[in-house]
Amino acid sequence: MTHFAYRDGVLHAEDVPLPAIAEAVGTPFYCYSAATVRERFRAFADPLADRDHLIAYAAKANSNLAVLHLLGREGSGLDIVSRGELERGRRAGIPAGRMVFSGVGKRRDELEVALDAGVLTINVESAGELEALDAVARARGQRAPVSLRVNPDVDPETHPYIATGLRTTKFGVPIGGARDLYARAGSLEGIEVVGLDCHIGSQLTSVAPFLEALTRMQALMEELRADGHAIRHLDLGGGLGIDYGQGDPPRPGGLVSALRDGLAGWQGTLILEPGRAVVGEAGVFVTEVLYIKDQPDKRFLVVDGAMNDFLRPALYGAEQPIRPVREGSGSDWQEVDVVGPICESGDFLARQRRLPPFSTGDRMAVMAAGAYGATMASNYNSRPRAPEVLVSGDRFQVVRRRETVDELMAGESLPGEDWFG
Ligand code: LLP
């Protein structure tokens, strides 16, 4: 279940009515349910309780410190892809020893920081990165713990922008060349081979591609063991989809149990990197109707949230459920476009969507916005980023306040007078 439900016609996050939050912080805002976050994390962790495992939550889905802290207290590790995410994890109290460092383009300074911090493993994505990491580690008299991210060439059947496990994407090392690169890794003084990694894509709505990837990775793991590599962990990445109102994808418990059963004879550590499935349904994005604008062929609801706040509809054509914060009595549903104030026709939260009647000043919640919402926000059109609010029971806390207009320009400066002669 999620913890967003109507009580007396008012949408609540756990026991807190969303209008109470809107009155406290204004709109637009993000709101997260701590109970849903915990519940979803446990859905991954519980089926693995009796085997070695690490749930390395993918920070990119939602990297608010409070969310990371909640997860850290549950025993979560972190899948990080930048120095910034590493630092967030540390400040949230997640030990570096529970972090895996992924990403196709890690900079040298990021590799250094990761080695200093003592991350569990660096998921290396190319021969070039392997050599660079070896050099960095040797220069520091260290050995870098490494897994190669292998691209198993499995079709995840998802949006092309978020499919990563196909041969044609930029990610990972082709599975056919993995053994050779492991041999190279094994010969490098600055590298210690510790594991094997893959991640095939995001918003997967069936278990089959995961199982196919598992089969291929297991076969490779056997070969690598025969080659003499100590593969202590197998990381199968993230990618499980959530319910955006278009059908019910498999739940974490089903996926994890299938993976666990597939690995029954193997004693190593199973690592998973779920992001969306942990936090997606734990959040909503709330925005207010500014104007109702009737154009010749269309009705537009102009709201105060925009593509800079919530990019998924504009970038992927994502369709996420929209619900009124207060249920109205009117039954005349209408087809509308929900659009933001940004000067682009691509600035929409929904297009040609049948919604219940809304009036100026009414609020709506974009559901399942806890993942890839706030983390993909920008300041486009010089719009301060929206606040984030965490709810637990009948309490709420602003865990990121609204950005100010001054903060927007804090790092900028005017050229000196001497520039103008
Ligand atoms: N591990 C790696 C190496 C990844 O690249 C990703 C996501 C994950 C784990 C977590 O995947 P998840 O469990 O959240 O599906 N912005 C897009 C999603 C991009 C996902 C990128 N990688 C969206 O809004 O749909």
Side-chain angles (χ1 to χ4, degrees):
M1 68 178 261
T2 80
H3 294 82
F4 294 93
Y6 287 97
R7 289 189 200 166
D8 297 327
V10 177
L11 192 57
H12 281 59
E14 303 191 24
D15 299 329
V16 178
L18 290 179
I21 300 176
E23 265 125 53
V25 303
T27 52
F29 65 90
Y30 281 95
C31 170
Y32 311 129
S33 153
T36 309
V37 172
R38 283 199 198 93
E39 184 189 281
R40 294 296 155 91
F41 177 82
R42 290 176 191 168
F44 280 92
D46 288 353
L48 298 174
D50 55 5
R51 72 157 298 140
D52 265 345
H53 74 277
L54 174 69
I55 306 300
Y57 163 72
K60 64 173 77 69
N62 185 327
S63 56
N64 185 285
L65 288 182
V67 172
L68 299 184
H69 183 69
L70 271 186
L71 288 165
R73 293 180 78 115
E74 292 289 310
S76 182
L78 214 55
D79 166 50
I80 56 169
V81 291
S82 68
R83 181 173 178 177
E85 287 187 350
L86 188 146
E87 207 49 57
R88 281 181 175 277
R90 288 209 289 202
R91 290 187 198 183
I94 299 179
R98 296 207 303 244
M99 293 187 199
V100 304
F101 192 6
S102 304
V104 73
K106 307 175 195 81
R107 284 195 319 263
R108 192 186 166 94
D109 61 299
E110 292 180 304
L111 295 173
E112 287 171 352
V113 170
L115 286 179
D116 281 348
V119 298
L120 177 67
T121 178
I122 297 176
N123 291 334
V124 166
E125 297 224 13
S126 63
E129 186 189 347
L130 183 66
E131 303 296 332
L133 178 57
D134 174 56
V136 168
R138 276 191 290 111
R140 309 163 83 75
Q142 285 176 282
R143 294 191 83 199
V146 159
S147 314
L148 292 189
R149 174 167 173 186
V150 169
N151 188 328
D153 195 21
V154 170
D155 185 356
E157 291 160 22
T158 185
H159 189 288
Y161 286 11
I162 51 178
T164 50
L166 278 170
R167 223 179 18 229
T168 46
T169 67
K170 69 178 175 184
F171 297 100
V173 177
I175 192 160
R179 263 176 104 173
D180 287 349
L181 202 56
Y182 266 99
R184 175 76 183 141
S187 73
L188 293 170
E189 204 186 308
I191 300 292
E192 183 190 2
V193 171
V194 295
L196 175 59
D197 170 53
C198 74
H199 168 77
I200 57 174
S202 198
Q203 185 53 21
L204 272 65
T205 51
S206 113
V207 170
F210 289 105
L211 295 180
E212 198 178 328
L214 173 65
T215 304
R216 295 185 185 193
M217 298 298 275
Q218 274 180 306
L220 176 60
M221 195 159 63
E222 278 311 307
E223 292 175 352
L224 295 175
R225 292 231 299 273
D227 291 346
H229 300 289
I231 305 294
R232 298 203 290 266
H233 69 244
L234 175 62
D235 182 342
L236 293 172
L240 181 63
I242 60 170
D243 184 6
Y244 284 122
Q246 295 124 17
D248 211 5
R251 294 275 136 189
L255 170 68
V256 176
S257 306
L259 297 177
R260 180 198 59 202
D261 295 348
L263 283 164
W266 179 68
Q267 307 297 320
T269 306
L270 171 61
I271 302 182
L272 298 174
E273 303 170 354
R276 188 190 321 260
V278 176
V279 291
E281 289 174 43
V284 295
F285 176 65
V286 178
T287 179
E288 185 170 305
V289 179
L290 297 174
Y291 306 106
I292 296 179
K293 185 167 176 181
D294 286 315
Q295 300 291 62
D297 301 315
K298 228 179 208 182
R299 166 163 282 196
F300 290 95
L301 304 185
V302 183
V303 297
D304 61 3
M307 66 189 282
N308 76 295
D309 303 301
F310 188 63
L311 184 61
R312 299 196 74 256
L315 187 58
Y316 311 112
E319 293 182 9
Q320 299 192 206
I322 290 180
R323 298 211 196 134
V325 166
R326 283 180 200 280
E327 277 179 316
S329 47
S331 55
D332 44 342
W333 286 46
Q334 274 184 330
E335 192 178 283
V336 295
D337 277 18
V338 180
V339 299
I342 283 184
C343 310
E344 299 217 21
S345 298
D347 178 27
F348 57 87
L349 298 180
R351 270 192 307 193
Q352 291 167 317
R353 183 81 66 85
R354 279 193 77 74
L355 290 180
F358 279 95
S359 306
T360 300
D362 285 350
R363 301 179 186 116
M364 61 178 72
V366 179
M367 307 305 291
Y372 306 110
T375 49
M376 292 177 72
S378 76
N379 292 124
Y380 188 37
N381 277 209
S382 286
R383 288 167 53 86
R385 272 174 296 177
E388 297 170 80
V389 175
L390 183 67
V391 168
S392 180
D394 60 4
R395 290 187 308 182
F396 69 89
Q397 186 181 325
V398 180
V399 291
R400 178 187 198 142
R401 62 170 171 71
R402 190 180 302 283
E403 223 170 3
T404 65
V405 168
D406 280 343
E407 282 169 325
L408 285 181
M409 287 161 264
E412 299 177 35
S413 59
L414 298 174
E417 269 311 308
D418 53 332
W419 279 49
F420 304 99

